[in-house]
Amino acid sequence: MVHGKRMLVDVRPLRVGAFRRLWVGGIVTSLGAQLTAVVVPLQIYGFSGSSACVGLAALVGLAPMAAAALWGGVLADLRDRRRVLLVTTIGIGGTSLLLWAQAWANLRSVGVLLVVVGVQQALFGANSTVSRAVTPRLVRPELLPAANALQSTVLLSAGIVGPVLASGLLPVVGTGTLYLADAVAVCATVWAVWRLPALPPYGDGERRRTAGLRQIAEGVRVVTCRQVLLVVYVADFAALSLGLPTALFPQLVAESFRPSDIGVLYAAVSAGGVLAGLFSGAFTRIGRHGVAVAVSVGMWGTAVAGFGLARSLVSAVAWLLLAGGALLALGVFRKTVLQTAVPDGMRGRLQGIDTVVAVGGPRVGDLLHGTVGAALGVTWTVTGGGVLTVVAAVVLLLVFPRFRRHRFTVDGNEPSLSRKVG
């Protein structure tokens, strides 16, 4: 019976008051963010009548998000993380108010929307980077895998519930109200961040340094010189670029399923992650994180390959559920390695690079799958990508011994604040 309980979601981090408030605030804020994520492309398409403009919105946000993630990582290492997190969170809420204002004023301007979305994505890139660097300062090191699992489960759950909620509310309340609801939802996280203690960098020397390109280069140099860190980034990028077939979902449903099934396919991956999160206790106590990263990538690739061979919606969804669970596990182990393998003064920069990889991998994957899928067809492309992902996981595990031997260890030199805040 005890063993069964240990398999369920590990809620020990929620006993830390500061983390619990951030987690609960994140639930509310993530749902609000999904409302905006649904409404923005609908508005852009309504104004322009062009899917190309909708695609442009995603592209416009990519470069600002990546640049701000890198800069935000430097700020997280050199400035008070609570202050940076508070400013970027309030900024995100402010951009949601601007989106509400343009809807209320009925501007019907794609240009205005693109500018606001670009600013919002930049703030989001910096905010998510700093947020992940804050977590190790709030909970004890041995609780980091469980904390990362809880946070990832919230994001995936919001990705399922938010679009459904938005589609139901949109015809009733209109776009402006949904933007306003998003701005109000951000207040939950603002309150949680406001309640945090000060989180200055360790050491006065770091505090006096100026954030700039040199500090970003220092982070890149640490990654390239540390085999474990570099291989973790490569493994994650391989999984997201070689094995993420969402760009082929429209072609797949046109050839093998019904057009209405596309929503089920998109939701299945997130649903698999949520299910894995509910039973995260089964893997958050694993100690060999190098092997765990490789196994997660291999499971993801295997599930994607199986999905490519599926001939019914039921089997396709089953494979995608498994893929989503593997992706959540990969995220938990990847984040924990990056949060524990370096001193606290370098964590922000590593999280900034991680944000760029997490954003860039799917974009590269869309390009690869779209191009190859047009030439070879859906089955060969999806299954082939899954097989290549498995091969990449095996190669990384065999070729890099330090990565293979890497274990999760608790570093007592940098105590968390979990016993000081409540």
Side-chain angles (χ1 to χ4, degrees):
M1 183 67 178
V2 175
H3 179 71
K5 288 183 179 180
R6 286 171 65 89
M7 289 185 64
L8 297 177
V9 58
D10 189 347
V11 297
R12 290 178 297 163
L14 296 181
R15 297 171 187 167
V16 180
F19 177 82
R20 182 175 62 250
R21 286 189 290 270
L22 278 178
W23 186 75
V24 173
I27 295 175
V28 179
T29 300
S30 297
L31 283 174
Q34 286 297 322
L35 300 181
T36 292
V38 170
V39 174
V40 165
L42 288 176
Q43 259 205 313
I44 291 176
Y45 185 79
F47 296 164
S48 65
S50 170
S51 294
C53 288
V54 177
L56 181 61
L59 185 62
V60 163
L62 177 59
M65 178 190 289
L70 294 173
W71 187 59
V74 174
L75 291 178
D77 289 339
L78 305 182
R79 300 289 184 268
D80 186 314
R81 290 176 186 171
R82 172 187 175 272
R83 184 175 301 174
V84 178
L85 193 60
L86 187 63
V87 169
T88 53
T89 303
I90 292 174
I92 291 172
T95 55
S96 295
L97 283 176
L98 290 176
L99 290 171
W100 166 78
Q102 63 83 29
W104 176 79
N106 197 26
L107 295 181
R108 301 186 62 83
S109 170
V110 173
V112 170
L113 273 172
L114 292 179
V115 169
V116 177
V117 167
V119 173
Q120 187 175 67
Q121 290 302 297
L123 289 166
F124 175 79
N127 182 269
S128 60
T129 296
V130 178
S131 178
R132 289 200 295 269
V134 163
T135 303
R137 299 282 292 270
L138 301 181
V139 302
R140 299 193 308 273
E142 64 268 23
L143 298 183
L144 278 174
N148 289 325
L150 286 168
Q151 291 173 326
S152 297
T153 302
V154 164
L155 293 176
L156 290 170
S157 300
I160 299 172
V161 178
V164 174
L165 190 63
S167 61
L169 291 175
L170 186 59
V172 180
V173 300
T175 58
T177 302
L178 293 187
Y179 286 137
L180 189 59
D182 181 18
V184 173
V186 172
C187 295
T189 297
V190 171
W191 168 78
V193 175
W194 184 267
R195 293 286 306 276
L196 289 176
L199 299 171
Y202 292 122
D204 294 335
E206 285 287 333
R207 196 178 310 177
R208 288 195 295 266
R209 297 174 67 187
T210 302
L213 293 177
R214 190 177 66 160
Q215 283 68 45
I216 295 175
E218 286 178 0
V220 174
R221 186 162 52 250
V222 167
V223 170
T224 56
C225 294
R226 297 281 296 275
Q227 184 181 107
V228 171
L229 299 177
L230 182 60
V231 176
V232 166
Y233 284 124
V234 172
D236 188 60
F237 187 80
L240 295 176
S241 59
L242 297 176
L244 189 63
T246 51
L248 294 176
F249 280 3
Q251 183 179 347
L252 182 64
V253 296
E255 296 177 357
S256 303
F257 304 117
R258 297 173 301 179
S260 58
D261 293 334
I262 191 169
V264 177
L265 298 181
Y266 279 118
V269 176
S270 295
V274 172
L275 288 174
L278 295 177
F279 294 94
S280 59
F283 57 84
T284 53
R285 294 175 175 87
I286 292 174
R288 298 190 64 180
H289 281 187
V291 173
V293 167
V295 170
S296 299
V297 173
M299 288 182 60
W300 162 258
T302 300
V304 170
F307 167 69
L309 297 174
R311 291 295 174 263
S312 70
L313 182 63
V314 173
S315 61
V317 168
W319 283 114
L320 289 178
L321 288 173
L322 177 61
L327 198 61
L328 178 125
L330 171 60
V332 168
F333 294 124
R334 184 194 78 245
K335 292 173 185 176
T336 305
V337 169
L338 299 180
Q339 290 168 339
T340 57
V342 295
D344 184 78
M346 191 59 67
R347 282 174 179 152
R349 276 164 280 190
L350 260 64
Q351 295 302 324
I353 298 171
D354 183 54
T355 300
V356 174
V357 172
V359 171
R363 266 64 172 192
V364 174
D366 287 346
L367 177 61
L368 290 175
H369 283 83
T371 303
V372 178
L376 301 181
V378 172
T379 300
W380 280 101
T381 304
V382 175
T383 302
V387 171
L388 288 175
T389 303
V390 175
V391 171
V394 173
V395 169
L396 292 175
L397 200 60
L398 295 177
V399 173
F400 298 100
R402 292 181 185 175
F403 171 67
R404 184 172 63 248
R405 293 193 298 264
H406 180 75
R407 287 181 175 274
F408 173 53
T409 58
V410 176
D411 185 356
N413 294 327
E414 294 170 352
S416 71
L417 300 177
S418 59
R419 297 182 181 178
K420 301 179 182 179
V421 296

